[in-house]
């Protein structure tokens, strides 16, 4: 079990640029989640995949945000035309799903996005 | 609205003393309850969970938590705090009607002083 890995750990970009983050979940986990965490707050749910299907999206996820999990393994989160308010830590988590409903989520160390 | 609350932004305790970090939830139905810890610039690490059964659950690093249905609380406890326990602690709730989502509290910063 190598854990959930996220890349990059830090991203600094200018307002208006596009950014893409990658998440590699624990290999046997079929569920993958994206969260956003701002300073002093708990993680806020953004979206969730079961295998390759994106099953739920938060209204926090504006049309500038898109997430994919093309083969049911790694996932990408893209933010287009970044804004100052997008500055945050973006966390990925994975878990077992299906009939196993009491499993905790395992988190990566996050990607910290700073918009200049 | 369904939610989880951590009423204390910060808890200060001396090393060796017992600690409590509070969590309450508001929900209809039976929640699944979790505690996570976060160290600076790291993701959240799972500590323990309550699903059903014994109201006192034991987790990692000597932590335990007590589920109280009448008070809708799930407080995190440790009999003897360590300086290395200093971190940010999050309570999370998962509701039986929607297993897709965790709802996290706003976090409590625990400071353990030597």
């Amino acid at each position: 079990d190598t854990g959930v890995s996220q890349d990059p750990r830090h991203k600094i970009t200018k307002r208006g640029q596009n950014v893409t983050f990658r998440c590699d979940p624990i290999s046997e986990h079929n569920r993958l989640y994206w969260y956003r965490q701002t300073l002093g707050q708990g993680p806020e749910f953004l979206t969730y995949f079961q295998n390759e299907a994106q099953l739920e999206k938060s209204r926090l996820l504006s049309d500038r945000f898109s997430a994919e999990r093309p083969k049911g393994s790694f996932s990408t989160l893209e933010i287009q035309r970044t804004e100052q308010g997008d500055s945050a830590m973006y966390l990925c988590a994975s878990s077992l799903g299906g009939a196993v409903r009491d499993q905790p989520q395992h988190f990566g160390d996050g990607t910290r996005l700073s918009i200049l | 609205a369904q939610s989880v609350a951590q009423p204390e932004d910060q808890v200060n305790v001396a090393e060796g003393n017992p600690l409590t970090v509070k969590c309450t939830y508001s929900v209809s139905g039976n929640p699944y309850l979790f505690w996570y810890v976060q160290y600076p610039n790291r993701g959240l690490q799972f500590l323990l969970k309550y699903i059903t059964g014994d109201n006192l659950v034991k987790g990692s690093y000597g932590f335990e938590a007590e589920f109280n249905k009448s008070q809708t609380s799930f407080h995190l406890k440790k009999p003897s705090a360590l300086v290395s326990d200093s971190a940010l602690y999050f309570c999370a709730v998962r509701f039986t009607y929607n297993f897709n989502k965790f709802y996290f509290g706003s976090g409590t910063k625990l400071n353990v002083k030597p």
Side-chain angles (χ1 to χ4, degrees):
Chain A
D1 179 359
T2 58
V4 178
S5 64
Q6 292 186 245
D7 182 70
R9 291 294 313 279
H10 303 278
K11 180 70 177 179
I12 301 173
T13 192
K14 293 181 180 180
R15 182 168 54 90
Q17 298 295 305
N18 299 343
V19 293
T20 300
F21 311 140
R22 176 179 170 124
C23 171
D24 287 272
I26 293 172
S27 57
E28 63 266 29
H29 287 180
N30 58 342
R31 292 190 170 187
L32 187 147
Y33 304 78
W34 285 99
Y35 291 87
R36 182 172 66 190
Q37 185 181 21
T38 53
L39 197 63
Q41 298 297 318
E44 296 175 294
F45 171 82
L46 292 179
T47 190
Y48 144 72
F49 290 85
Q50 178 150 322
N51 300 312
E52 66 276 9
Q54 187 174 19
L55 297 185
E56 189 165 348
K57 294 195 297 185
S58 166
R59 61 180 181 273
L60 292 174
L61 212 66
S62 75
D63 57 5
R64 296 185 299 105
F65 288 71
S66 62
E68 295 182 341
R69 194 183 183 196
K71 297 182 180 180
S73 57
F74 73 92
S75 175
T76 57
L77 177 68
E78 182 182 16
I79 308 174
Q80 295 182 327
R81 305 181 304 280
T82 53
E83 301 174 355
Q84 290 284 349
D86 297 333
S87 295
M89 175 80 88
Y90 290 85
L91 294 168
C92 176
S94 70
S95 73
L96 288 169
V100 186
R101 294 186 165 184
D102 64 344
Q103 294 304 302
Q105 296 181 349
H106 298 261
F107 284 80
D109 285 339
T111 294
R112 182 169 295 284
L113 175 64
S114 298
I115 306 297
L116 301 178
Chain B
Q2 320 287 8
S3 69
V4 56
Q6 294 181 242
E8 302 157 317
D9 290 336
Q10 187 166 298
V11 169
N12 299 311
V13 63
E15 187 174 31
N17 283 0
L19 68 88
T20 299
V21 182
K22 296 179 180 177
C23 172
T24 60
Y25 63 92
S26 59
V27 65
S28 55
N30 297 317
Y32 289 7
L33 296 155
F34 300 79
W35 275 101
Y36 286 83
V37 60
Q38 186 177 33
Y39 295 97
N41 297 312
R42 301 296 300 276
L44 281 68
Q45 296 177 33
F46 168 71
L47 281 178
L48 51 79
K49 65 182 179 184
Y50 172 81
I51 306 301
T52 187
D54 193 348
N55 289 343
L56 185 66
V57 293
K58 296 187 183 296
S60 306
Y61 313 118
F63 284 94
E64 57 190 28
E66 186 169 13
F67 172 65
N68 187 318
K69 188 170 184 177
S70 63
Q71 296 185 3
T72 62
S73 67
F74 188 56
H75 300 333
L76 181 70
K77 300 180 180 183
K78 188 173 182 180
S80 178
L82 299 173
V83 172
S84 57
D85 293 330
S86 298
L88 198 52
Y89 289 81
F90 291 97
C91 181
V93 179
R94 193 177 195 182
F95 301 119
T96 54
Y97 60 83
N98 184 353
F99 284 99
N100 297 340
K101 295 171 69 169
F102 278 56
Y103 296 86
F104 286 87
S106 57
T108 299
K109 186 177 181 184
L110 175 65
N111 296 312
V112 182
K113 298 182 178 180

